[in-house]
Amino acid sequence: MDNSKFSEEISMKDWLKLQQEVKGLRTQVSRLQMENSDLENSLLTAVEHGDLVEAELLDVNKKLKSEIIERKMAQATLQSILEIVYRDKSDLEIMLATSTEHGDAIEYEQYNRAVETMHQSEEQFRSIAESTSMAMLVSRLSDGAIVYANTSAGTILERESHDLIQRSIKDLYYLPAEWEILQQHFLQNQKVRDYEIRLCKANQEPLWVLASVHPLWLKGEQVLLNTFYDITLLKKTELALRESEAKLREQANLLEQRVEERTYDLKLAKEAAESASRSKAAFLANMSHELRTPLNAILGFAQLMLYDQELNEQHQTDLQTICNSGNHLLAMINDILEMSKLEAGSVLLREKECSLYDIVDTARDMLYLKAQEKDLSFDVSVQPDVPPYIYTDEGKLRQILINLIGNAIKFTESGHIILRVDVRNLPNNIDRIAGEVSEIPRCLCFEVEDTGAGISEAEVLTLFQPFVQTDSGKRSQEGTGLGLSISYNYVRLMGGQMFVISKVGEGSTFRFYIPVKSLDLFSADSPTKSPRRVIGIEGNQVHRILIAEDMRLNRQLLTRILSPLGIEVREVTNGQDAIDVWQSWSPHLIWMDVRMPIMNGQEAASAIREIEAKRSISTSQKVRIIALTASLVELREEDLFINGFDGFLSKPYTEDKVFDRMAEHLNLQYIYK
């Protein structure tokens, strides 16, 4: 008896502890139910109105899965408690049955206490089962008949709980085949936990649930505790996610298709642009050749005629007009070709040692007479600290000065033109442009100031764009609108920057900076241009010169220039004939036109160099080949040198340029008049 009392006390303590745990669990379940209800309402509202995007669906899905984990933990705790409760009921029933069978005397008080404990256990079970949101069904293992259904079971199945009693639990599953699979899973593992399956509502609609099945003993009979947690909302979310993913894939495929179409369009546009660029280059090359070739004859013969002392003054004036007009046309052709090369990025710097004073003097001498004709004051101011010798692209710097001074004279009717040159610290904006040259701390500053018509602020914004002319430029009806654009791009190519300050009616000041390296020493024997005319060659050696040119006038022009100096000259009209004459006559120098029929100049030069290499002819004995070309767009100096040329001369050319090239390659010393 004492032992029975002791066991009773322990059992009551355990039961009180169990009740406290159940109470805490109910609170937790209630909180989860409230949160779940809010979450379900929000999700359903969003789904119904189509307001969820994929990111929000993923977030909801994450929250639902998190909640399911909490529900699973709560479910596991509940099932453990229920198992304890059922075991208590089972133990009491077994104890009473066994005692009665053996006729053991049981005191009336003990019996009442046992029955009361059993009733409390049943009441506790019902209380727990009715308080949870999970559907709970108890069915017999033998025939599957339902012996208990909580309120939540009736709610999710949209039936009355008491209508479920004595129904076969198999009938609650949406598909018999799914139920068969669940049964097999139970037989293999003797339990089922968190199995996704569909139940059937009263209206025959499917209901997705997480099913768990646990075996228990009730009144000496084995039963199954079936718990179901509604995951329909989760399934809808997953379905929405799958639909969203499908739409995204469809959109991605559509975008990829559009990208491919766009890429194809861009490819076509690129090919069209490249084709147009090639057509433009071919057009410019042909235009250059077709215009320069006759200009070469016009300017060349006009210059030769100017040397004729028998011409009267009127004829001299007329010839000078021809030369001036031809040079003007040549300047416009050069501007167009140079702008094209700048746009193509094929203009390179050719830096060398040069005299800054010579560059400035040349620009001044070329334009001084023009300023004098308009009664303009033209002054040049070079500060004492300006280095006399610099390392830069002499030709481009001279062209910039000529363009700026020429524009100043053109648009100034009265007043003055001033060219200033000084040395200044390198501005910050030049640092970014100059690149490696920016390590030089000082730069040259050039200013061209005039008192001309001036430029409006609106025109300044587009002043350096190609083919753009100011109002005064349009009124003058001169030029192509390329001079300033070419000068601006030359300055940038040299690592500097150009600016303009102007006021309408008062004049303009163009200023540009270029970073340059000054030279302390300069070669004393650097070739200088002589204004005198060449009339002979020092020494008694007879020089043989071959002219390979398909244009008769150009051959005649070169012959007229060279023959008076006692030079032996022969002429051919194509590259193949040039090779034959070279092999039989051994000229010292060949003037080779690049464009010729049968075999062009580049092919002929390459063939001559190959023959020289096979014959092991020394460098000093090799013939000098100078290219004559009127197509400056499609040819590069590097390509000419690779093909065997020693140099080139562009058309139209003057006799002094012809003599300079010959002196350079044949080491000639001239006799001047």
Side-chain angles (χ1 to χ4, degrees):
M1 296 294 291
D2 293 337
N3 289 335
S4 299
K5 290 180 180 180
F6 179 73
S7 298
E8 247 178 70
E9 291 175 0
I10 294 176
S11 178
M12 290 301 294
K13 288 180 180 179
D14 291 342
W15 186 250
L16 290 174
K17 182 178 179 181
L18 187 62
Q19 284 180 321
Q20 292 295 326
E21 292 177 356
V22 169
K23 185 177 180 180
L25 191 56
R26 284 178 180 173
T27 303
Q28 185 179 3
V29 169
S30 298
R31 179 181 60 80
L32 290 173
Q33 284 176 331
M34 292 177 63
E35 293 178 358
N36 182 53
S37 178
D38 294 337
L39 192 60
E40 288 175 357
N41 290 335
S42 299
L43 184 59
L44 286 173
T45 301
V47 170
E48 288 174 359
H49 291 83
D51 292 334
L52 283 181
V53 294
E54 185 185 19
E56 294 171 335
L57 288 171
L58 290 171
D59 187 52
V60 171
N61 187 35
K62 183 178 178 181
K63 290 181 179 179
L64 283 172
K65 288 185 177 180
S66 176
E67 181 183 349
I68 288 173
I69 293 174
E70 295 182 8
R71 286 298 185 97
K72 288 178 182 178
M73 295 175 62
Q75 180 183 350
T77 305
L78 280 171
Q79 289 170 347
S80 299
I81 293 171
L82 292 173
E83 289 176 5
I84 293 172
V85 171
Y86 267 101
R87 277 198 295 270
D88 288 343
K89 289 177 63 181
S90 178
D91 291 344
L92 286 170
E93 290 170 355
I94 293 172
M95 181 188 73
L96 291 174
T98 304
S99 299
T100 303
E101 288 176 2
H102 292 280
D104 294 337
I106 300 177
E107 294 182 0
Y108 181 74
E109 182 180 355
Q110 287 180 320
Y111 175 79
N112 287 338
R113 187 180 294 114
V115 172
E116 182 180 358
T117 300
M118 186 175 65
H119 288 315
Q120 289 178 352
S121 178
E122 289 178 355
E123 195 64 31
Q124 188 66 40
F125 164 74
R126 292 181 181 276
S127 176
I128 294 173
E130 293 299 325
S131 65
T132 181
S133 62
M134 290 185 297
M136 300 182 66
L137 299 171
V138 178
S139 61
R140 288 193 294 266
L141 181 62
S142 58
D143 58 3
I146 299 172
V147 297
Y148 172 76
N150 69 348
T151 304
S152 297
T155 301
I156 67 171
L157 294 173
E158 297 180 355
R159 304 169 186 266
E160 295 295 333
S161 299
H162 57 80
D163 292 339
L164 297 174
I165 305 302
Q166 297 306 319
R167 290 192 60 174
S168 175
I169 195 165
K170 177 181 178 180
D171 297 338
L172 298 182
Y173 288 90
Y174 187 69
L175 293 176
E178 293 180 356
W179 182 82
E180 293 293 342
I181 296 174
L182 178 66
Q183 285 295 99
Q184 293 177 6
H185 186 72
F186 174 77
L187 293 175
Q188 291 175 358
N189 301 281
Q190 292 302 306
K191 66 178 180 178
V192 175
R193 182 182 291 273
D194 299 333
Y195 188 88
E196 291 188 6
I197 197 169
R198 288 178 292 178
L199 300 181
C200 185
K201 293 183 179 181
N203 59 4
Q204 302 304 311
E205 290 183 359
L207 174 70
W208 279 101
V209 294
L210 275 180
S212 295
V213 181
H214 294 273
L216 296 173
W217 287 90
L218 180 63
K219 296 180 180 180
E221 183 182 14
Q222 194 170 18
V223 296
L224 296 179
L225 174 62
N226 303 270
T227 60
F228 305 104
Y229 177 67
D230 186 359
I231 60 169
T232 303
L233 183 60
L234 177 62
K235 283 295 183 180
K236 288 182 179 179
T237 305
E238 291 178 351
L239 179 61
L241 281 173
R242 283 196 294 271
E243 291 177 353
S244 176
E245 289 173 357
K247 289 180 180 178
L248 286 175
R249 282 194 296 270
E250 182 180 354
Q251 292 177 356
N253 293 334
L254 182 61
L255 286 174
E256 288 179 2
Q257 182 179 355
R258 292 180 63 184
V259 167
E260 289 177 359
E261 293 174 354
R262 183 61 175 164
T263 302
Y264 180 72
D265 292 340
L266 289 174
K267 182 181 178 182
L268 292 180
K270 180 183 177 183
E271 291 175 352
E274 290 175 348
S275 176
S277 178
R278 288 192 296 269
S279 299
K280 175 183 174 183
F283 169 76
L284 290 174
N286 289 327
M287 184 187 73
S288 171
H289 184 269
E290 296 301 325
L291 292 178
R292 285 174 176 272
T293 299
L295 272 177
N296 186 58
I298 293 170
L299 295 177
F301 282 109
Q303 185 185 36
L304 289 177
M305 292 178 69
L306 282 173
Y307 294 134
D308 190 348
Q309 301 298 324
E310 297 181 0
L311 293 176
N312 58 39
E313 185 177 352
Q314 182 61 47
H315 289 163
Q316 292 277 353
T317 303
D318 293 342
L319 283 173
Q320 189 61 55
T321 301
I322 293 174
C323 289
N324 292 340
S325 298
N327 286 323
H328 178 69
L329 178 58
L330 178 62
M332 290 198 299
I333 295 172
N334 288 339
D335 283 349
I336 294 173
L337 297 178
E338 194 66 18
M339 197 66 235
S340 176
K341 292 168 70 175
L342 282 168
E343 290 175 348
S346 59
V347 176
L348 303 176
L349 280 179
R350 306 187 187 282
E351 296 180 318
K352 63 178 182 179
E353 299 173 348
C354 56
S355 169
L356 178 58
Y357 292 129
D358 284 349
I359 296 174
V360 173
D361 289 343
T362 301
R364 179 192 59 193
D365 294 342
M366 287 182 65
L367 299 167
Y368 183 78
L369 290 178
K370 284 188 176 183
Q372 204 172 41
E373 289 173 0
K374 300 181 71 173
D375 293 327
L376 299 175
S377 171
F378 183 15
D379 297 320
V380 176
S381 173
V382 181
Q383 296 300 312
D385 58 345
V386 171
Y389 302 111
I390 57 176
Y391 189 80
T392 189
D393 191 318
E394 178 182 3
K396 290 182 176 57
L397 179 56
R398 181 186 296 109
Q399 187 63 48
I400 295 168
L401 294 176
I402 291 172
N403 286 346
L404 294 181
I405 298 171
N407 280 346
I409 295 173
K410 183 192 303 183
F411 301 118
T412 303
E413 298 302 326
S414 62
H416 66 264
I417 309 293
I418 301 176
L419 168 62
R420 301 186 184 93
V421 185
D422 58 57
V423 177
R424 303 185 185 183
N425 291 328
L426 200 66
N428 293 331
N429 56 345
I430 303 298
D431 266 347
R432 294 190 295 271
I433 299 169
E436 296 181 358
V437 187
S438 64
E439 65 185 10
I440 306 167
R442 297 172 72 76
C443 66
L444 283 174
C445 175
F446 296 83
E447 282 186 0
V448 177
E449 177 186 305
D450 66 61
T451 56
I455 306 168
S456 67
E457 293 183 3
E459 290 177 325
V460 167
L461 299 176
T462 59
L463 187 63
F464 298 119
Q465 295 180 9
F467 301 106
V468 171
Q469 288 183 306
T470 62
D471 289 339
S472 55
K474 295 174 183 176
R475 288 193 297 270
S476 70
Q477 297 183 351
E478 294 182 20
T480 58
L482 293 174
L484 278 179
S485 180
I486 292 173
S487 300
Y488 179 80
N489 283 281
Y490 276 173
V491 171
R492 290 184 63 85
L493 186 65
M494 297 168 75
Q497 187 60 281
M498 180 181 288
F499 310 92
V500 59
I501 302 172
S502 184
K503 190 171 182 180
V504 176
E506 295 185 8
S508 306
T509 299
F510 284 83
R511 179 186 301 119
F512 68 92
Y513 303 90
I514 54 170
V516 291
K517 297 178 181 178
S518 62
L519 302 175
D520 295 330
L521 297 177
F522 191 79
S523 177
D525 56 352
S526 296
T528 57
K529 181 179 178 181
S530 174
R532 299 169 294 172
R533 187 186 179 195
V534 176
I535 59 173
I537 302 174
E538 292 183 357
N540 298 321
Q541 182 181 358
V542 177
H543 295 87
R544 296 182 297 277
I545 304 295
L546 174 62
I547 301 172
E549 165 71 73
D550 60 327
M551 298 295 293
R552 179 179 58 84
L553 292 178
N554 289 334
R555 293 198 305 271
Q556 289 179 355
L557 175 61
L558 272 177
T559 301
R560 286 279 301 275
I561 293 174
L562 301 177
S563 296
L565 304 186
I567 297 174
E568 293 186 9
V569 179
R570 289 191 183 182
E571 302 175 7
V572 294
T573 59
N574 61 72
Q576 184 60 56
D577 290 346
I579 296 174
D580 295 339
V581 173
W582 165 73
Q583 289 180 315
S584 61
W585 191 49
S586 300
H588 297 96
L589 184 144
I590 302 176
W591 289 103
M592 184 84 74
D593 188 24
V594 175
R595 281 192 178 189
M596 289 185 294
I598 302 177
M599 178 183 288
N600 64 42
Q602 295 186 73
E603 295 171 341
S606 297
I608 290 173
R609 295 308 184 200
E610 289 179 5
I611 295 172
E612 288 177 334
K614 290 179 181 178
R615 295 178 180 177
S616 300
I617 298 176
S618 63
T619 303
S620 61
Q621 297 300 316
K622 288 182 179 180
V623 64
R624 302 297 186 263
I625 307 176
I626 302 177
L628 294 172
T629 177
S631 303
L632 299 181
V633 177
E634 59 184 2
L635 291 178
R636 297 186 307 168
E637 286 188 49
E638 294 80 0
D639 296 333
L640 294 175
F641 293 139
I642 290 173
N643 287 319
F645 288 100
D646 296 292
F648 80 98
L649 184 61
S650 61
K651 300 175 184 178
Y653 46 77
T654 56
E655 69 171 16
D656 57 333
K657 291 183 179 179
V658 172
F659 292 145
D660 286 344
R661 292 292 188 277
M662 292 175 57
E664 178 183 351
H665 294 287
L666 297 179
N667 297 319
L668 302 181
Q669 298 294 325
Y670 295 120
I671 301 171
Y672 298 95
K673 182 178 180 180

